[in-house]
Amino acid sequence: MKYWFSPRRLAIGALVLLIVIQLIPVWLWRTNPAPQSQPKWDSAQTKALTQRACFDCHSNQTTWPWYAYVAPASWLITRDVSAGRRALNFDDWQTRLTRGDRFPLDQQVQREVSRGDMPPSYFLWLHPDAKLTTVEQQQLIDGLAKTIQAK
């Protein structure tokens, strides 16, 4: 008895689907606009830690690796960068400071970084250099709090 869903047909179908999904134009949202305004950093160390751990998703200076151009990974990466920039964009600092959020920005940063939610663990799998030690986490929290308070 011949089945319509033979392993060969399933493999061909999966390959065709993988090729077709490459045509969905997520590249329209994969941009690096010019920076509008940046914070007045409290120190070069805070800026360096922030660039290392946060800038790929929270700035207009995203490094788009090769896998950011292959669906479905491109969809997830583009979604994460868009969401990250909406939440906090170090290259659009004035807009962020004028937003009225439920919690002050320094409290949000402290909560996210101290819990280990930022940078997210799945990001660290492919970007191990973004991993912060406990000491670096505290330095980042303290430095960003000073930077935010300086406005």
Side-chain angles (χ1 to χ4, degrees):
M1 185 173 198
K2 212 172 191 183
Y3 294 104
W4 67 271
F5 56 89
S6 69
R8 182 178 177 181
R9 285 186 179 180
L10 287 174
I12 291 171
L15 182 61
V16 168
L17 181 63
L18 187 63
I19 292 169
V20 168
I21 65 175
Q22 303 309 312
L23 302 174
I24 297 174
V26 296
W27 49 268
L28 292 171
W29 295 276
R30 195 173 35 236
T31 63
N32 280 346
Q36 301 299 313
S37 61
Q38 289 196 340
K40 291 181 176 121
W41 300 100
D42 78 305
S43 70
Q45 180 187 23
T46 300
K47 183 177 181 181
L49 285 171
T50 305
Q51 286 175 322
R52 188 177 112 205
C54 311
F55 263 42
D56 265 347
C57 294
H58 294 284
S59 78
N60 295 342
Q61 301 172 46
T62 301
T63 301
W64 299 98
W66 66 268
Y67 49 86
Y69 297 89
V70 180
S74 61
W75 305 344
L76 301 172
I77 293 167
T78 302
R79 181 203 64 194
D80 283 354
V81 170
S82 295
R85 287 177 180 171
R86 270 192 314 275
L88 173 61
N89 188 339
F90 289 103
D91 285 330
D92 192 6
W93 194 244
Q94 287 308 106
T95 300
R96 180 57 176 95
L97 291 178
T98 58
R99 264 181 32 195
D101 285 334
R102 190 171 146 202
F103 296 106
L105 182 56
D106 55 338
Q107 288 179 13
Q108 291 176 23
V109 168
Q110 180 180 6
R111 186 178 67 238
E112 297 290 327
V113 174
S114 63
R115 285 182 181 171
D117 294 342
M118 286 293 151
S121 59
Y122 60 84
F123 178 79
L124 296 174
W125 297 338
L126 296 169
H127 304 273
D129 55 315
K131 181 151 179 61
L132 300 173
T133 65
T134 306
V135 171
E136 290 173 327
Q137 283 181 333
Q138 193 58 52
Q139 289 170 339
L140 179 63
I141 290 168
D142 295 343
L144 284 176
K146 291 175 188 172
T147 298
I148 291 164
Q149 290 166 1
K151 296 181 184 182

